[in-house]
């Protein structure tokens, strides 16, 4: 799969180990720097460091970011489907879409997944179930969300992009083929190549051209050389994680320059 769309750089502002005032500053700094997308995550406790450290809730933070920013797209990487009724999720997404529009179209991305962090479930009273039951619940929620969007008044300002996170080859990728505008994974290049082949098979089964789906990958500790391999396979959205308290991203300028060079070459060609 060759890239057919511009490269974008996202930063996941992990809502942990920092006061909200610092998170607000970081969001402004990243938008000013030229980042394309700001993500957070949908958990109730830190995933790294002190397990009982500072932490903030995803959707309320996204609504605040929608009001604070004016250019970047925003979303969770990813929302946990288990924590909220599907119709409520749709309404919340639509509302944030309108908050973010500011006279134009909205900037909200519904990034979602089936959930996995058992402590969230245990301490907040949700049924953890099994990996299979959680992915089945996500499969029921996605069409319900789409149906609710069609009934809301006012409707969303645009067709809200749906990002599905996860690499399960039999179930998750089937949901990606059916519902997603963006697929996010943590794949290295050989894994991404294999999973894209499987995704194409699911697309054929449901009558979907999967070239319509933007391929998103987590940069993690990878460098630009590895990102080049992923880009050659079709990845165009690259996410850098940033955690509190300082949210330092030493190579951000390098990543943005790499993006700009690729996009200039694409535009010229």
């Amino acid at each position: 799969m060759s890239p057919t769309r511009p490269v974008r750089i996202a930063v996941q502002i992990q809502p942990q180990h920092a006061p909200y005032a610092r998170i607000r500053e970081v969001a402004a700094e990243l938008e000013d720097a030229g980042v394309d997308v700001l993500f957070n995550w949908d958990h109730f406790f830190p995933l790294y460091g002190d397990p009982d450290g500072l932490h903030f809730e995803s959707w309320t933070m996204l609504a605040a970011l929608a009001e604070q920013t004016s250019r970047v797209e925003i979303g969770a990487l990813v929302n946990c489907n288990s924590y909220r009724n599907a119709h409520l999720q749709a309404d919340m997404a639509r509302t944030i879409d309108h908050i973010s529009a500011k006279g134009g179209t909205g900037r909200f991305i519904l990034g979602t997944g089936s959930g996995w962090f058992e402590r969230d479930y245990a301490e907040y009273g949700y049924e953890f179930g099994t990996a299979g039951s959680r992915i089945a619940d996500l499969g029921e929620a996605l069409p319900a969300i789409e149906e609710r969007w069609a009934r809301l008044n006012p409707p969303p300002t645009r067709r809200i992009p749906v990002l599905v996170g996860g690499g399960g080859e039999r179930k998750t990728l089937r949901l990606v083929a059916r519902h997603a505008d963006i697929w996010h994974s943590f794949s290295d290049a050989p894994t991404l190549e294999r999973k894209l082949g499987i995704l194409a098979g699911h697309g054929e089964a449901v009558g979907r051209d999967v070239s319509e789906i933007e391929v998103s990958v987590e940069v993690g500790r990878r460098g630009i050389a590895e990102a080049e391999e992923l880009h050659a396979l079709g990845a165009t959205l690259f996410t850098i994680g940033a955690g509190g308290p300082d949210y330092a991203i030493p190579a951000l300028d390098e990543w943005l320059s790499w993006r700009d060079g690729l996009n200039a070459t694409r535009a010229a060609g």
Side-chain angles (χ1 to χ4, degrees):
M1 179 186 291
S2 60
T4 59
R5 50 176 57 84
V7 170
R8 302 196 292 165
I9 299 296
V11 173
Q12 183 186 52
I13 303 175
Q14 301 164 359
Q16 60 177 6
H17 304 311
Y20 193 80
R22 179 57 186 146
I23 292 173
R24 184 187 297 113
E25 291 172 353
V26 168
E29 292 164 4
L30 291 171
E31 183 170 50
D32 289 346
V35 166
D36 298 290
V37 185
L38 297 181
F39 290 119
N40 63 10
W41 66 34
D42 188 19
H43 295 289
F44 304 130
F45 303 95
L47 298 186
Y48 314 116
D50 179 0
D52 296 312
L54 299 176
H55 198 278
F56 292 97
E57 194 276 329
S58 173
W59 282 81
T60 43
M61 176 179 166
L62 291 171
L65 291 177
E67 188 61 57
Q68 174 187 344
T69 59
S70 60
R71 180 189 56 79
V72 290
E73 290 193 281
I74 55 174
L77 195 65
V78 289
N79 166 67
C80 178
N81 177 67
S82 304
Y83 303 157
R84 301 162 194 90
N85 171 280
H87 297 274
L88 175 62
Q89 292 180 56
D91 205 343
M92 293 165 68
R94 180 281 308 254
T95 299
I96 296 177
D97 168 71
H98 276 265
I99 294 170
S100 69
K102 298 186 177 180
T105 57
R107 296 174 286 117
F108 184 73
I109 297 169
L110 178 62
T112 194
S114 58
W116 63 272
F117 190 40
E118 189 168 4
R119 184 185 180 189
D120 286 346
Y121 289 79
E123 296 216 26
Y124 277 62
Y126 297 108
E127 181 180 350
F128 189 53
T130 65
S133 68
R134 294 193 299 276
I135 195 68
D137 289 343
L138 179 61
E140 293 178 1
L142 286 167
I145 290 169
E146 294 164 357
E147 186 271 339
R148 178 58 61 179
W149 279 336
R151 295 169 55 191
L152 289 170
N153 184 18
T157 68
R158 64 171 180 170
R159 185 182 181 279
I160 295 175
V162 174
L163 178 155
V164 174
E169 296 177 0
R170 187 168 64 89
K171 296 180 179 179
T172 301
L173 290 182
R174 186 168 66 227
L175 293 179
V176 170
R178 190 178 295 277
H179 298 285
D181 301 288
I182 307 168
W183 168 50
H184 179 81
S185 78
F186 295 83
S187 300
D188 58 19
T191 304
L192 182 65
E193 186 171 24
R194 186 185 75 252
K195 289 183 185 292
L196 285 172
I198 294 167
L199 177 60
H202 286 306
E204 290 177 8
V206 302
R208 176 97 184 272
D209 178 359
V210 297
S211 68
E212 299 172 357
I213 301 170
E214 185 172 15
V215 178
S216 168
V217 291
E218 190 85 11
V219 171
R221 294 182 174 84
R222 299 187 177 102
I224 286 176
E226 292 171 280
E228 290 275 8
E229 296 178 357
L230 295 164
H231 179 252
L233 293 169
T236 56
L237 178 55
F238 297 84
T239 298
I240 304 164
D246 55 2
Y247 293 100
I249 312 173
L252 180 60
D253 288 346
E254 189 177 347
W255 283 106
L256 295 174
S257 295
W258 174 72
R259 174 203 65 187
D260 293 345
L262 286 175
N263 290 342
T265 299
R266 176 179 177 273

